[in-house]
Amino acid sequence: MTESWLDIPTESDFSLINIPFGIITYAGASAPRVAVAIGDKALDLAIFSASKGFLGLPAIQPYLHVFHEPTLNAFAALGRPVHRQVREYLQKVFTKNGPYRQLLEDNKELRNTSLTDLTAVQTYLPMHIGDYTDFYVGKHHAYNVGVLFRGPANALQPNYTHLPVGYHGRASSVVVSGTPVRRPWGQILNADKAPIYSPSKRLDIELELGAFVCKGNRLGAPVSLTKAEDYLFGYVLLNDWSARDVQAWEYVPLGPFNAKNFASTISAWVVLADALEPFRAEGIPNESETQSYLKSDVKKAMFDIDLEVSLQPNGAPSGTVISRSNGCNLLWSFPQMLTHHTVGGCPMNVGDLLGSGTISGPDSGTEGSLLELTNGGCKPFDIAGVKRTFLEDGDEVVLRGWCKDSTGQRLGFGECRGQILEAWENGVAPE
Amino acid sequence: MTESWLDIPTESDFSLINIPFGIITYAGASAPRVAVAIGDKALDLAIFSASKGFLGLPAIQPYLHVFHEPTLNAFAALGRPVHRQVREYLQKVFTKNGPYRQLLEDNKELRNTSLTDLTAVQTYLPMHIGDYTDFYVGKHHAYNVGVLFRGPANALQPNYTHLPVGYHGRASSVVVSGTPVRRPWGQILNADKAPIYSPSKRLDIELELGAFVCKGNRLGAPVSLTKAEDYLFGYVLLNDWSARDVQAWEYVPLGPFNAKNFASTISAWVVLADALEPFRAEGIPNESETQSYLKSDVKKAMFDIDLEVSLQPNGAPSGTVISRSNGCNLLWSFPQMLTHHTVGGCPMNVGDLLGSGTISGPDSGTEGSLLELTNGGCKPFDIAGVKRTFLEDGDEVVLRGWCKDSTGQRLGFGECRGQILEAWENGVAPE
């Protein structure tokens, strides 16, 4: 295990094996800029690069401007080989008595100006998202929901095991961890099955992984599965908040719309695809014959990421874990999702976000949504001395995800947090 | 009827009552810039504004930079009152012996440098589109398609008359008129009802209107119906190309995805919302009680726009009109669509595109898609000596739309054109 000269707490998501990228501001640095998280610090790469921090990496010299951008798009667009070089270089910079010790470890002034406590930084949406697509490849989730609506015999739709089912989401409503979520108004059916205009009463979460795209393809030019990894920049946690009552009424025949477009929260730090390589794992086996364009020799196409959902009910002193799942619980990999997305020629752009869909496990206690956890809202659960089915005003949800290597170092995603605010009175927001 | 000093052909879509905005380049002007179309000319507003063309409109002086932008977003963001002023000002500039005759009519040099034949300009996507949403509010279309799939008794879904049904589309695949459309590969069911990987065999069109958004709302802050008009910049024709066989297999339960995201074509010139004001008309009456947030006192919420679909089969010398419809054939207005879109707090941004959904009329010959025109592909029609059900390679489709005022002046949209290219061999695009 390589040691850092920085004091990295054992339980930190941001150990030396991680080096995730994000966008920050802090006191005295009001223009959003690129940073990496390390232990309980953020390294400001705008300052670091301007102070010759990348002196040991000649290849990045022509591109140092990317670290002064307010999103990661320009950095992402440099491509996977550059991300790899920059991450490995920064790992060396943070390594105790490493080859670049003079740059930061032995440079007290730059340490002081470029490193800031994570608790003192404000994070932002890490990328400008052109298009956001949400898939539905968490098979246990699809099955659980199918059972609720159609019974076990017809739980999965006929297409489910043949293609990564997905839909276009709303890019403008993707927000960064910490952004409060206003309970949405919408049309729902009341007890008499007549539609009414009302705040949602069945506000739910969805535990997902998101992947950011770092390469574009032309309109009309599909991305083959063998090349799809080159298009994947990195990963975040994604909470696809869902108004189940709005969804039930609106979704036939064109899919979810207002039920999902009021907010989708992502974690602030993008874990690079390369950082997850050591944690590859097999996903859910697919019993159906796979079409040629989706066929892969890669056995381990998912990631062994422990996932959990914590809920802090309004008034409770702290959160309680209500579900634990794992990133392996997917039927299709992100490369397969991307390839399927482009099979007809749909163009991807740098900054596009792909969601996995809800990642539930096969067992009780591993559900990625309250809909499943409460059997469609029929079985409330006890938490912190109160009952819950769906979310109440003031409830706060935190998603967490992490991998651990053999030496016990954590590679984590940080928090994906959001608190529910009460619906506006009469559906009208103050000016 | 006001006359122009420009020779505007009677059949021109771009008469003095129109003044639509677009983005152009032409020989000697290689940076995309803002223009208006007038008769068979384009007025380059970058050159016009730099040459003091807006001298008579002091209010626009601080914002002249918007005409040098490669999209209309910055101009749109100035708001409806500014669009109105600029359009009315340009109408006066083009008026014979008008108040600003010295600016262009009497200024031969500026006429020569700023006016270019439309045939000599290249047009571009007029706006940078953040999010694209496609609605489904053409009631006759929804009914026709429902009859094909479920029979007349259950043709419309229970929610249909209660809310503007819509789904999130793919912004990255919206292209400008003239862009060729590659036949998409995808998963479809073969005759044995087994999925295969194949080029689409049921490639279709959808005749739609699109509206561009010119004002944003905050996350969590719905836009009331009384204010929704302020958010609508202008209108275009929209052909939402659809692979019906891909759609039929993939769309349950999350809606259309690859069936629609390979291309959606819009006309190049944005007809300002103000220009359409004189053509307001009533839409399709709604027999259901309207929810309070969608209720409107505006009787004439649609536009009386004649619409037609022309198809030029591969090898035919010219196109043949295969369908005629009208912009009135909608159940919900664009302001209602926008208000419904934001009812839960979804943020709109300048440049977002809203599609109406297919606009079919109630009668034979008014269908907005080949699916309807051929009764689900069962009844081929004769055109230019050949038979057609769905589109063949080389077929070219042109949508047109126009209004006519009492003096016979046309306000039209120009063409929304696209030709089908053959599918890539084996689904692989050349590098």
Side-chain angles (χ1 to χ4, degrees):
Chain A
M1 176 177 153
T2 314
E3 250 190 293
S4 176
W5 49 266
L6 267 163
D7 186 23
I8 300 176
T10 323
E11 72 281 9
S12 172
D13 276 349
F14 308 132
S15 73
L16 212 47
I17 64 167
N18 195 346
I19 317 290
F21 285 70
I23 299 293
I24 63 165
T25 58
Y26 52 95
S30 60
R33 77 271 315 278
V34 174
V36 292
I38 177 83
D40 46 19
K41 302 282 185 189
L43 176 68
D44 178 335
L45 291 185
I47 289 181
F48 181 73
S49 64
S51 308
K52 307 197 174 163
F54 283 105
L55 210 62
L57 190 61
I60 193 73
Q61 296 304 322
Y63 311 112
L64 293 181
H65 60 92
V66 302
F67 301 120
H68 298 261
E69 295 279 327
T71 67
L72 297 177
N73 293 54
F75 174 59
L78 298 179
R80 289 285 301 267
V82 175
H83 312 155
R84 194 170 301 135
Q85 285 180 326
V86 172
R87 175 171 165 269
E88 288 174 0
Y89 177 78
L90 290 172
Q91 284 178 317
K92 287 178 191 158
V93 167
F94 290 127
T95 297
K96 197 168 181 171
N97 299 323
Y100 304 116
R101 57 178 301 168
Q102 82 285 2
L103 291 174
L104 205 58
E105 182 181 1
D106 295 347
N107 184 340
K108 192 176 171 191
E109 197 192 325
L110 187 53
R111 284 208 319 269
N112 284 342
T113 54
S114 65
L115 284 166
T116 307
D117 287 349
L118 278 177
T119 51
V121 306
Q122 170 81 33
T123 52
Y124 297 83
L125 212 54
M127 306 211 47
H128 172 76
I129 302 169
D131 279 291
Y132 159 46
T133 300
D134 203 14
F135 286 89
Y136 189 57
V137 310
K139 189 183 176 191
H140 302 304
H141 168 73
Y143 178 81
N144 292 343
V145 171
V147 168
L148 284 174
F149 292 147
R150 290 177 299 275
N154 302 301
L156 294 178
Q157 301 286 354
N159 58 17
Y160 190 80
T161 57
H162 295 279
L163 52 82
V165 173
Y167 71 103
H168 303 119
R170 178 79 189 178
S172 74
S173 60
V174 179
V175 296
V176 73
S177 177
T179 309
V181 174
R182 181 71 54 185
R183 179 181 299 275
W185 284 71
Q187 274 197 40
I188 63 180
L189 290 185
N190 70 7
D192 309 333
K193 300 287 169 195
I196 58 169
Y197 170 53
S198 163
S200 170
K201 291 160 188 165
R202 290 163 69 93
L203 194 51
D204 199 354
I205 57 151
E206 293 196 327
L207 168 64
E208 304 194 17
L209 284 171
F212 276 112
V213 171
C214 60
K215 187 172 174 176
N217 62 304
R218 310 193 305 280
L219 181 84
V223 177
S224 72
L225 189 52
T226 53
K227 295 189 176 164
E229 289 278 3
D230 298 344
Y231 288 74
L232 295 169
F233 174 53
Y235 296 85
V236 290
L237 300 172
L238 167 61
N239 184 350
D240 187 33
W241 308 90
S242 299
R244 298 297 179 195
D245 37 12
V246 172
Q247 187 175 354
W249 174 231
E250 76 175 3
Y251 92 105
V252 175
L254 299 183
F257 183 58
N258 283 341
K260 304 272 195 174
N261 68 20
F262 59 95
S264 309
T265 305
I266 62 171
S267 51
W269 297 97
V270 181
V271 175
L272 296 191
D274 288 308
L276 283 168
E277 279 296 318
F279 304 100
R280 284 183 167 274
E282 289 186 41
I284 298 171
N286 194 338
E287 64 268 31
S288 292
E289 173 69 13
T290 302
Q291 297 294 329
S292 57
Y293 73 99
L294 289 174
K295 248 183 202 149
S296 168
D297 295 333
V298 179
K299 272 254 168 202
K300 296 183 170 182
M302 317 300 170
F303 300 112
D304 179 12
I305 303 168
D306 282 311
L307 299 168
E308 67 173 37
V309 182
S310 165
L311 171 61
Q312 182 171 350
N314 192 10
S318 62
T320 302
V321 174
I322 58 171
S323 178
R324 293 177 207 276
S325 184
N326 188 285
C328 297
N329 289 315
L330 300 176
L331 188 64
W332 303 97
S333 68
F334 277 102
Q336 285 172 317
M337 292 181 231
L338 187 129
T339 290
H340 178 68
H341 203 320
T342 66
V343 67
C346 179
M348 294 282 131
N349 288 303
V350 174
D352 287 347
L353 177 63
L354 310 179
S356 61
T358 309
I359 309 178
S360 297
D363 307 312
S364 172
T366 66
E367 299 88 348
S369 70
L370 299 176
L371 184 73
E372 294 161 83
L373 204 60
T374 64
N375 200 26
C378 296
K379 282 193 194 163
F381 58 94
D382 293 302
I383 179 171
V386 296
K387 290 214 177 282
R388 277 294 178 278
T389 42
F390 293 100
L391 297 172
E392 304 283 334
D393 295 344
D395 284 1
E396 190 166 44
V397 176
V398 180
L399 311 184
R400 290 188 181 86
W402 65 90
C403 314
K404 263 191 190 165
D405 75 7
S406 54
T407 69
Q409 283 192 104
R410 272 169 74 101
L411 176 152
F413 287 78
E415 293 180 347
C416 180
R417 177 186 290 270
Q419 186 174 29
I420 303 301
L421 304 180
E422 64 180 349
W424 297 120
E425 209 180 318
N426 303 317
V428 180
E431 289 288 324
Chain B
M1 174 176 155
T2 314
E3 250 191 295
S4 176
W5 49 266
L6 265 163
D7 186 23
I8 299 177
T10 322
E11 73 281 9
S12 172
D13 276 348
F14 309 132
S15 74
L16 212 47
I17 64 168
N18 195 348
I19 317 290
F21 285 70
I23 299 294
I24 63 165
T25 58
Y26 52 94
S30 61
R33 77 270 318 274
V34 174
V36 292
I38 177 82
D40 45 21
K41 302 280 185 190
L43 175 68
D44 178 335
L45 292 185
I47 288 181
F48 181 73
S49 64
S51 308
K52 305 195 175 167
F54 283 105
L55 210 63
L57 189 59
I60 194 72
Q61 297 305 320
Y63 311 112
L64 293 181
H65 60 91
V66 302
F67 301 121
H68 298 261
E69 295 279 328
T71 68
L72 297 177
N73 293 52
F75 174 60
L78 296 178
R80 288 287 301 267
V82 175
H83 313 156
R84 194 169 301 137
Q85 286 181 326
V86 172
R87 175 171 166 271
E88 288 174 359
Y89 177 80
L90 290 172
Q91 284 177 317
K92 286 178 192 158
V93 167
F94 291 127
T95 296
K96 196 168 185 172
N97 300 322
Y100 303 116
R101 58 177 300 169
Q102 82 285 2
L103 291 175
L104 205 58
E105 182 180 3
D106 294 348
N107 184 341
K108 192 177 173 191
E109 196 192 327
L110 187 53
R111 282 207 322 270
N112 283 344
T113 55
S114 65
L115 284 166
T116 306
D117 286 350
L118 278 177
T119 51
V121 304
Q122 171 81 33
T123 52
Y124 296 83
L125 211 54
M127 305 207 53
H128 172 76
I129 301 168
D131 278 292
Y132 159 46
T133 300
D134 204 17
F135 286 89
Y136 190 59
V137 309
K139 190 183 174 190
H140 303 305
H141 168 73
Y143 178 80
N144 292 343
V145 171
V147 168
L148 284 175
F149 293 147
R150 290 177 299 274
N154 302 302
L156 294 178
Q157 301 286 354
N159 59 17
Y160 191 80
T161 58
H162 295 280
L163 53 82
V165 173
Y167 71 102
H168 303 118
R170 179 79 190 181
S172 73
S173 60
V174 179
V175 296
V176 72
S177 177
T179 308
V181 174
R182 180 72 52 184
R183 180 182 299 275
W185 284 71
Q187 274 196 40
I188 63 180
L189 290 185
N190 70 6
D192 309 332
K193 300 288 171 196
I196 57 168
Y197 170 53
S198 164
S200 170
K201 292 161 187 164
R202 289 163 69 93
L203 195 51
D204 199 355
I205 57 151
E206 294 197 327
L207 169 64
E208 304 196 15
L209 284 170
F212 276 112
V213 171
C214 60
K215 187 174 175 175
N217 62 304
R218 311 192 303 283
L219 181 84
V223 177
S224 72
L225 190 52
T226 52
K227 294 186 177 166
E229 290 278 5
D230 297 343
Y231 289 72
L232 295 169
F233 175 53
Y235 296 85
V236 289
L237 301 171
L238 168 60
N239 184 351
D240 187 31
W241 308 91
S242 300
R244 298 298 179 194
D245 36 13
V246 172
Q247 187 174 355
W249 174 231
E250 75 174 4
Y251 92 106
V252 175
L254 299 183
F257 183 58
N258 282 340
K260 304 272 194 173
N261 68 20
F262 58 95
S264 309
T265 304
I266 62 171
S267 50
W269 296 98
V270 180
V271 174
L272 296 191
D274 288 308
L276 284 168
E277 279 297 317
F279 303 100
R280 284 182 166 274
E282 289 186 41
I284 299 171
N286 194 339
E287 64 268 30
S288 292
E289 173 70 12
T290 302
Q291 296 295 329
S292 57
Y293 73 100
L294 289 174
K295 246 181 204 152
S296 168
D297 295 334
V298 179
K299 272 253 169 206
K300 297 183 170 181
M302 317 299 170
F303 301 113
D304 179 12
I305 303 168
D306 282 311
L307 299 168
E308 68 174 37
V309 182
S310 166
L311 171 61
Q312 183 171 351
N314 192 9
S318 62
T320 302
V321 174
I322 57 171
S323 179
R324 295 177 206 276
S325 185
N326 187 284
C328 297
N329 290 316
L330 300 178
L331 187 64
W332 303 96
S333 68
F334 277 102
Q336 285 172 317
M337 292 181 232
L338 186 128
T339 289
H340 178 68
H341 203 320
T342 66
V343 67
C346 180
M348 294 283 131
N349 288 303
V350 174
D352 288 346
L353 177 63
L354 309 179
S356 60
T358 309
I359 308 179
S360 298
D363 306 314
S364 171
T366 66
E367 298 89 346
S369 70
L370 299 177
L371 185 72
E372 295 161 82
L373 204 60
T374 63
N375 200 26
C378 298
K379 283 192 194 162
F381 57 93
D382 292 302
I383 180 171
V386 297
K387 289 215 180 281
R388 277 293 178 277
T389 43
F390 293 102
L391 297 173
E392 305 282 335
D393 295 344
D395 285 1
E396 189 164 45
V397 176
V398 181
L399 311 185
R400 291 187 181 85
W402 66 89
C403 314
K404 263 192 189 165
D405 74 6
S406 54
T407 69
Q409 282 191 106
R410 271 169 74 101
L411 175 153
F413 287 77
E415 293 180 346
C416 180
R417 177 186 292 268
Q419 187 174 28
I420 303 302
L421 304 182
E422 65 180 348
W424 297 120
E425 208 179 320
N426 302 318
V428 180
E431 289 289 320

